[in-house]
Amino acid sequence: MKKIYLFVSLIGLLCSSRQAISQSHVVTRLDGSTIPGSVIDSTVTTLMDQAKVPGIGLAILNNKKTVYLKTYGYKNKLCGELLDTASIVYAASFSKAVCGFLCMKLVDSKVLDLDKPLYQYLKKPIPEYANFTGLKGDDRWKKITARMCLSHTSGFPNLKWYDPRAVNPDYDSLGMVKIYFEPGSRYAYSGEGFKLLQLALEELSGKTFDDLASELAFKPIGMYRSGYVWHSSFGDDLAIGHNAREQQNIKSKKTVAVAGGSMVTTISDYARFIEYVIQGKGIKENTFAEMIRPQIRIFSKTQFPPISTETTDENEGVQLAYGLGWGLLNTPYGRAFFKEGGDDAWKNYNINFIDRGISIVMICNSVNGSILFKDLLAQLIGDTFTPWKWEQYYPLGYKVD
């Protein structure tokens, strides 16, 4: 068995290397203009130095194919170890996009009904599961569906340990999941919703979420160095995250999957996933259309805190909305779907302009990575549409109101 794992891992490494060296030297932007690789490199490294970001993985797609794949900087700066396209990185909430995709595969096979209340897939009432005991006495849990979890309209908080209504929430050691608004009525980003969805998927399939993801996504796509838990075949090629003061934050190697946030991957693997998705592979055409169809419009001033009364019309021009596992925009260059990810040591962003066949993926092993995104999006692919204020991707020198 170990020999098989090593063989599969070797195939993944070879595929990563081949893709890395076959990158194009010129990238086409949204407006049809081009940017040479030398300018991409100087732009990325200059901004990295200014923001004090140790390492970044970058992938750019033209015509729905990866044409630029490169890493910059370090996976472990203290040891002088360079980041490469096969280095394992923390995907954070990119996990939710993969979860959304595999849910749509289950919809195609008629295993999952997006609008069937999730409790009907479970062996016990939802409040009898350890993570959801706080729902006792609130029967609204009977209304929550897969569609609501994927579109962040479940009414749950993002993380049960923090007050979702506070700008700087205090840690709550009790961590009780509650429903904060009528399920399906509004948008509020929720990792807890994905935990409920994962529970249903695991009981429905009889498999762990990592096994389900391997079967439906990782293996068919060729993502040999990706998982929701750590696999021995990954070796020790692990990139290390950093906080705002450049201090290291080493992620534990997860043994239990979290559908909304435990995935690890490589920049090469995730670029392969984006290629697969935007080329319409793996799911039916109408299922893909439903995945990136607006389920709920978004008017919140910022994405976090996830439950706020503050609203804005600033993103009306791009019709900011949420689909099933992805955020959505409408732009002069057509439709776009995006997903971000991060914590206090990692920042990742991906956006796909499906009608132009142009995508970009950025994975940074520093919380300071968000400082780069506005400028990199504009300069590398001409994306001035990502709602960077809503995402709180404030560039260097920007003063928050």
Side-chain angles (χ1 to χ4, degrees):
M1 183 62 71
K2 287 184 178 179
K3 289 181 179 179
I4 294 174
Y5 279 134
L6 288 171
F7 178 70
V8 170
S9 182
L10 179 60
I11 291 174
L13 284 167
L14 290 173
C15 289
S16 296
S17 299
R18 181 166 63 251
Q19 192 172 26
I21 61 174
S22 66
Q23 67 191 32
S24 168
H25 294 293
V26 176
V27 164
T28 301
R29 298 185 179 104
L30 290 169
D31 64 0
S33 65
T34 59
I35 179 171
S38 59
V39 176
I40 293 175
D41 293 346
S42 62
T43 301
V44 173
T45 54
T46 297
L47 288 170
M48 282 177 64
D49 289 344
Q50 292 173 352
K52 298 181 178 179
V53 171
I56 179 171
L58 172 69
I60 302 175
L61 283 66
N62 284 170
N63 297 318
K64 301 181 181 181
K65 294 182 180 180
T66 302
V67 295
Y68 207 83
L69 178 69
K70 193 166 184 177
T71 55
Y72 303 84
Y74 298 91
K75 67 179 182 183
N76 186 333
K77 192 171 183 179
L78 284 179
C79 297
E81 297 175 351
L82 296 176
L83 187 69
D84 62 50
T85 59
S87 296
I88 301 289
V89 294
Y90 177 48
S93 284
F94 276 3
S95 305
K96 295 180 177 69
V98 175
C99 178
F101 176 75
L102 70 86
C103 281
M104 302 314 286
K105 293 198 74 168
L106 292 173
V107 169
D108 265 351
S109 59
K110 300 188 185 305
V111 173
L112 179 67
D113 183 332
L114 290 171
D115 297 310
K116 183 176 180 178
L118 289 175
Y119 82 90
Q120 294 182 19
Y121 291 116
L122 299 171
K123 299 172 184 176
K124 302 182 294 184
I126 290 173
E128 292 186 19
Y129 291 87
N131 194 57
F132 300 101
T133 56
L135 299 180
K136 290 178 180 178
D138 186 347
D139 284 349
R140 289 180 294 178
W141 55 265
K142 294 180 180 179
K143 300 178 179 180
I144 299 173
T145 65
R147 187 185 300 276
M148 293 175 190
C149 293
L150 290 169
S151 61
H152 297 285
T153 60
S154 66
F156 287 155
N158 184 25
L159 298 172
K160 65 181 181 178
W161 308 106
Y162 301 97
D163 185 341
R165 300 161 298 189
V167 175
N168 296 301
D170 291 328
Y171 178 78
D172 177 5
S173 59
L174 295 177
M176 302 290 283
V177 174
K178 301 175 184 177
I179 297 174
Y180 287 85
F181 55 83
E182 184 69 14
S185 65
R186 58 174 292 191
Y187 167 89
Y189 194 89
S190 174
E192 299 297 340
F194 275 75
K195 289 180 183 177
L196 177 59
L197 179 59
Q198 175 181 347
L199 183 63
L201 294 176
E202 289 182 332
E203 290 205 0
L204 181 62
S205 66
K207 301 172 182 177
T208 68
F209 189 78
D210 183 65
D211 285 343
L212 197 61
S214 294
E215 176 186 324
L216 297 180
F218 300 146
K219 288 180 180 178
I221 297 172
M223 299 170 69
Y224 299 110
R225 290 176 63 75
S226 298
Y228 281 85
V229 297
W230 189 268
H231 294 268
S232 59
S233 60
F234 294 165
D236 293 313
D237 192 8
L238 175 65
I240 295 173
H242 299 78
N243 65 21
R245 297 183 297 278
E246 297 186 90
Q247 296 169 327
Q248 290 192 340
N249 184 328
I250 302 174
K251 285 287 177 187
S252 61
K253 296 177 179 179
K254 301 296 183 185
T255 57
V256 177
V258 179
S262 68
M263 190 174 81
V264 293
T265 188
T266 68
I267 185 62
S268 180
D269 268 12
Y270 203 76
R272 195 172 284 118
F273 168 67
I274 294 301
E275 274 190 356
Y276 195 83
V277 172
I278 66 171
Q279 289 175 13
K281 296 179 179 178
I283 56 177
K284 297 175 182 176
E285 185 177 352
N286 64 325
T287 310
F288 177 83
E290 184 64 17
M291 184 175 72
I292 63 167
R293 181 181 70 82
Q295 307 288 321
I296 189 81
R297 288 292 304 277
I298 299 173
F299 300 99
S300 60
K301 189 172 183 180
T302 57
Q303 186 170 19
F304 299 107
I307 302 176
S308 171
T309 57
E310 286 189 286
T311 60
T312 181
D313 61 0
E314 191 168 29
N315 300 311
E316 185 66 17
V318 293
Q319 299 175 37
L320 180 62
Y322 226 86
L324 299 174
W326 307 85
L328 307 175
L329 306 176
N330 257 330
T331 79
Y333 299 108
R335 301 164 298 163
F337 60 102
F338 66 89
K339 189 70 194 79
E340 66 294 292
D343 61 5
D344 57 359
W346 289 83
K347 288 294 178 182
N348 310 327
Y349 188 70
N350 157 243
I351 188 166
N352 312 288
F353 291 84
I354 184 68
D355 297 319
R356 286 296 174 105
I358 293 177
S359 300
I360 187 169
V361 181
M362 299 175 287
I363 300 178
C364 301
N365 62 343
S366 170
V367 70
N368 291 344
S370 59
I371 297 172
L372 308 176
F373 292 157
K374 177 180 181 294
D375 291 325
L376 287 181
L377 289 167
Q379 295 184 46
L380 302 189
I381 66 167
D383 170 18
T384 58
F385 311 103
T386 285
W388 57 273
K389 290 182 183 178
W390 182 77
E391 296 274 14
Q392 296 175 302
Y393 291 161
Y394 305 128
L396 283 171
Y398 180 80
K399 293 184 179 180
V400 183
D401 294 335

